[in-house]
Amino acid sequence: MSDIRIQAGAAGALAPREYHLAHEPHPENGTALGFWLYLMSDCLIFAALFATYGVLGRSYAAGPTGAQLFDLTLVAINTAFLLLSSITFGFAMLRKQKNDVNGTLLWLAVTGFFGLCFLGLELYEFAHLIHQGATPQRSAFLSAFFTLVGTHGLHVTFGLIWLVVLMLQIKQHGLIPENNRRLMCLSMFWHFLDVVWIGVFTFVYLMGVL
């Protein structure tokens, strides 16, 4: 930290003032705080989408209902993929703590595989519903459904892109402090998506077939 003295007051007294210079280390816990604030904003987005679905989820407009459309077996398999990806991400973080680059990359790759499986099944479900005529414009229920589940799917897509980029950075530079910090942020993001999906699975799918 550099101390720069400036003239202060009429008497010309000197007072120390501290500045962060560009070459100095990243402020401790600065990224974690900023990322928590981002996650809180994402919570507000999903809270609004859940509230919208809660209001419109029974507005079928004489169209198909959730009980007629949802395949709980398929959704349960998809849920298992995402939950397994959270577990494998935890294994990656354990290998990171041991400074095992190859082990970290291996478990991140497994996490990405499960994430792709989840995304593939979700796209299959959307295509199947649209093929049946259950499009977003068919009813308010379907509009709310596609918006909520699709927004979560977009988050998973962005998470997978982030995962691939981070794997390339780790492969090139190793587990340097910057990559460790990025891993921590991605870990929080990925587990957050799991928590949101549990809400989707319970509130949308399980309650939808009742």
Side-chain angles (χ1 to χ4, degrees), residues 73-206:
T73 302
L74 180 69
V75 179
I77 294 173
N78 217 18
T79 301
F81 279 138
L82 195 60
L83 294 179
L84 284 172
S85 74
S86 187
I87 294 173
T88 56
F89 206 121
F91 290 154
M93 296 300 287
L94 290 175
R95 300 317 304 171
K96 185 267 293 183
Q97 292 179 358
K98 296 183 179 296
N99 204 35
D100 181 0
V101 173
N102 291 331
T104 302
L105 289 173
L106 172 63
W107 285 112
L108 288 178
V110 176
T111 299
F113 171 75
F114 284 135
L116 282 174
C117 290
F118 170 85
L119 202 58
L121 278 182
E122 189 168 278
L123 290 174
Y124 168 80
E125 179 191 27
F126 281 6
H128 182 65
L129 292 176
I130 292 172
H131 180 72
Q132 290 181 306
T135 58
Q137 61 268 30
R138 179 64 182 82
S139 65
F141 152 65
L142 286 169
S143 296
F145 167 78
F146 276 98
T147 302
L148 173 57
V149 179
T151 299
H152 180 271
L154 282 176
H155 277 71
V156 174
T157 302
F158 295 146
L160 287 172
I161 295 172
W162 185 0
L163 180 68
V164 171
V165 173
L166 185 53
M167 288 178 65
L168 293 175
Q169 291 175 330
I170 293 174
K171 183 69 175 178
Q172 183 174 2
H173 302 292
L175 293 170
I176 58 177
E178 291 80 2
N179 285 339
N180 288 339
R181 188 167 62 246
R182 292 163 187 152
L183 263 176
M184 176 198 67
C185 292
L186 181 55
S187 175
M188 290 192 295
F189 180 74
W190 201 263
H191 295 312
F192 167 76
L193 294 182
D194 272 13
V195 172
V196 172
W197 181 254
I198 291 173
V200 172
F201 178 71
T202 304
F203 188 58
V204 175
Y205 290 101
L206 289 182

Side-chain angles (χ1 to χ4, degrees), residues 39-79:
L39 288 181
M40 293 304 101
S41 70
D42 241 11
C43 283
L44 294 176
I45 293 174
F46 280 106
L49 293 177
F50 274 110
T52 302
Y53 184 86
V55 173
L56 303 177
R58 302 292 179 178
S59 301
Y60 304 122
T65 67
Q68 296 170 323
L69 294 174
F70 297 152
D71 182 353
L72 278 186
T73 302
L74 180 69
V75 179
I77 294 173
N78 217 18
T79 301

